[in-house]
Amino acid sequence: MTIRNTKTFRPDEKGLIEAADALRNGGLVAFPTETVYGLGADAQNDTAVADIYAAKGRPQFNPLIAHFADISQAKLHVKWSDMANHLAEALWPGPLTLVLERHNKSNLSQFLCAGLPSVAIRIPAHPIAEQLLANLGGPIAAPSANISGQISPTCAKHVNADLFGRIDGIVDGGACQVGLESTIIDLTGVPTLLRPGGLPKDIIEEIISTKLATVLNYGVIKAPGQIASHYAPQARLRLNAKTKEANESMLGFGPVECDLNLSETSDLVEAAGNLFSSLHTLDCDNAATIAVSPIPEIGLGMAINDRLRRAAAPRPATN
Ligand code: TXA
Ligand code: MG
């Protein structure tokens, strides 16, 4: 893999023009969204999209999300539906990804969809992502900006730790507010939750007046990203821990004694925002095991527990 000179682009007018130029020239540029940092490439450039897989060490069967500036541009690439329209009007820009049948006239790179007849689309709610999309004037393919299987990045430091020298640049826009990836809903058939994320599913169910089906069976892959071991720190994780044992670091939730607390006031929004950065921090402290307090399975707690279970899952031998 070629070594790249990773520039830091300022999040100002000039920096975002340069970052968009780098994308236009087929480069890989990491940028903040409201959820996590994305690793961007021109979604219509096959070579650039293929380079994303190489830079992340991502299996080629795992498709990427196409990010758009607005609904009218996103619609051109998929078979749009009333339900998609309903959700998009209510929740975009925001931490929601919709999987829809790909339009046969779409010129998104085939690599983006990893050969599937569907495509995942989203409009991010972050001023830097919005400006970058506007400057490029076209869609950006962007997975989370981490090495495949590792913890997603919520600040520029995390991105550089994984990808420095593998990408052409990064726009440093500070910490991501939501801190968890987008919620993914498959609308190609019965509306199905493929990945719990930064938007609680009850909000979605209320808007479409339908209960979502769920496909979260670990190891069996419908959304190729549903790989059991994911978001994995170097340390082992022990979930639902009441107290810490010898040689453990404790990641707490609520009024408990611990090394780091996701939210002392048991606020799930605050906890989601702190989850990945806390795992990064405790991992850098070289804890052998991170013990984690129980997190209630409500609202954003569903997505937090999903990420924790994947981080705790047995790792592939070669990871
Ligand atoms: O918040 C987010 O969604 C972030 C920011 C950067 O937008 N992106 C992100 O991308 O989390 P990534 O690649 O880490 O996760 C995308 C997920 C993967 O699990 C992938 O399998 C799934 O989306 N996906 C993409 N296209 C799909 C499709 N056509 N059908 C089913 N799942 C799809
Ligand atoms: Mg990811």
Side-chain angles (χ1 to χ4, degrees):
M1 111 141 263
T2 40
I3 295 181
R4 297 177 186 230
N5 178 16
T6 308
K7 282 192 208 154
T8 299
F9 298 108
R10 281 174 186 279
D12 58 15
E13 198 181 329
K14 183 164 168 275
L16 293 177
I17 288 173
E18 287 171 4
D21 285 346
L23 290 172
R24 199 172 291 112
N25 293 329
L28 302 182
V29 177
F31 62 97
T33 78
E34 80 281 31
T35 57
V36 298
Y37 272 71
L39 175 55
D42 175 351
Q44 295 165 348
N45 179 331
D46 280 339
T47 312
V49 174
D51 284 349
I52 287 183
Y53 289 85
K56 279 183 59 96
R58 183 178 179 106
Q60 284 173 1
F61 59 77
N62 192 4
L64 310 176
I65 299 172
H67 296 70
F68 293 89
D70 55 48
I71 296 179
S72 62
Q73 290 198 39
K75 268 162 92 166
L76 301 175
H77 296 272
V78 292
K79 298 210 174 126
W80 200 236
S81 66
D82 286 348
M83 196 177 275
N85 205 49
H86 227 59
L87 287 170
E89 293 283 354
L91 300 170
W92 277 349
L96 170 71
T97 293
L98 298 178
V99 173
L100 291 156
E101 214 178 305
R102 182 189 164 110
H103 199 286
N104 53 17
K105 294 223 172 72
S106 167
N107 60 355
L108 292 172
S109 167
Q110 286 289 348
F111 296 135
L112 181 127
C113 306
L116 294 175
S118 58
V119 59
I121 57 175
R122 143 167 149 83
I123 299 181
H126 191 292
I128 292 174
E130 285 167 21
Q131 193 58 52
L132 202 56
L133 283 160
N135 291 355
L136 180 65
I140 298 179
S144 51
N146 52 279
I147 295 285
S148 186
Q150 308 288 319
I151 306 167
S152 292
T154 54
C155 66
K157 196 175 101 189
H158 300 158
V159 177
N160 276 323
D162 266 20
L163 297 176
F164 192 82
R166 292 171 167 258
I167 62 177
D168 299 287
I170 172 165
V171 185
D172 185 348
C176 301
Q177 201 202 336
V178 176
L180 285 176
E181 301 87 343
S182 59
T183 302
I184 305 181
I185 307 295
D186 184 350
L187 294 180
T188 59
V190 177
T192 302
L193 176 68
L194 296 183
R195 177 176 76 181
L199 189 75
K201 75 164 182 167
D202 19 312
I203 294 181
I204 296 164
E205 289 177 333
E206 208 175 297
I207 288 172
I208 57 177
S209 308
T210 309
K211 285 270 171 217
L212 293 166
T214 313
V215 189
L216 299 172
N217 35 348
Y218 292 85
V220 181
I221 298 168
K222 155 91 166 90
Q226 296 175 321
I227 297 166
S229 166
H230 213 92
Y231 314 102
Q234 300 300 316
R236 301 279 133 188
L237 253 69
R238 187 167 67 84
L239 305 184
N240 298 316
K242 292 283 186 321
T243 52
K244 120 177 178 179
E245 292 174 5
N247 293 327
E248 286 186 340
S249 290
M250 176 98 190
L251 180 58
F253 178 77
V256 292
E257 216 174 286
C258 56
D259 297 285
L260 268 184
N261 204 317
L262 290 169
S263 170
E264 283 176 17
T265 57
S266 306
D267 177 346
L268 288 167
V269 175
E270 184 186 15
N274 288 332
L275 178 67
F276 290 146
S277 58
S278 304
L279 289 174
H280 272 286
T281 303
L282 292 176
D283 215 23
C284 288
D285 292 347
N286 290 326
T289 302
I290 302 172
V292 190
S293 291
I295 312 284
E297 187 77 10
I298 48 166
L300 284 179
M302 245 187 98
I304 296 172
N305 283 325
D306 172 79
R307 302 306 185 272
L308 286 170
R309 280 192 290 267
R310 284 171 209 262
R315 319 277 164 82
T318 54
N319 195 14

